[in-house]
């Protein structure tokens, strides 16, 4: 078992990136294992960890297909539809409420 290289926050060498940083570059990890870890210390709490991937081993993001776009649109419509009044709220229904805000206000 090998241990991962560990760097302090903002001190990782060039050539490494987090998932979000890869996405901005139009890349994805592409099945590679985590190459390093960045640790950010915090007072009185556990440190934050960020996993780094090698940029040279990353693959391009897969293009959006019509089927995936349709499935994503249906999922977002379901998240915006209130189960109580069956109307599109125009925003994602809060999971804490389980219904749109006007329906939640009227039940109080």
């Amino acid at each position: 078992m090998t241990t991962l290289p560990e760097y302090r926050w903002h001190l990782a060498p060039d050539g490494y990136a987090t998932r979000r940083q890869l996405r901005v570059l139009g890349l994805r990890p592409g099945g590679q294992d985590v190459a390093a870890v960045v640790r950010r210390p915090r007072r009185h709490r556990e440190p934050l960890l960020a996993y780094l991937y090698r940029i040279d081993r990353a693959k391009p993001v897969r293009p959006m297909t019509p089927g995936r776009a349709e499935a994503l649109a249906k999922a977002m419509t379901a998240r915006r539809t209130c189960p109580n009044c069956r109307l599109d709220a125009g925003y994602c229904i809060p999971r804490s409420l389980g219904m749109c805000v006007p329906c939640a206000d009227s039940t109080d």
Side-chain angles (χ1 to χ4, degrees):
M1 179 174 186
T2 62
T3 59
L4 295 174
E6 191 173 299
Y7 303 102
R8 288 187 53 83
W9 203 252
H10 293 295
L11 296 178
D14 292 337
Y16 291 99
T18 63
R19 282 182 178 269
R20 287 185 180 188
Q21 291 169 336
L22 287 175
R23 189 64 175 200
V24 168
L25 296 172
L27 301 171
R28 60 186 170 94
Q32 67 173 301
D33 292 331
V34 174
V37 177
V38 173
R39 181 179 297 266
R40 179 182 178 205
R42 301 189 298 175
R43 290 184 182 186
H44 310 295
R45 291 190 283 177
E46 291 293 318
L48 291 176
L49 298 177
Y51 299 110
L52 300 175
Y53 299 90
R54 300 260 317 255
I55 294 175
D56 59 344
R57 293 185 185 168
K59 296 181 180 176
V61 174
R62 293 185 185 117
M64 182 66 75
T65 63
R68 287 175 63 195
E70 184 180 342
L72 182 60
K74 285 182 182 178
M76 291 307 294
T77 300
R79 288 184 66 191
R80 289 191 317 261
T81 304
C82 176
N84 209 18
C85 64
R86 301 281 182 206
L87 296 176
D88 186 342
Y91 54 86
C92 290
I93 304 294
R95 292 179 63 187
S96 60
L97 297 177
M99 60 185 81
C100 65
V101 175
C103 287
D105 287 344
S106 67
T107 59
D108 288 339

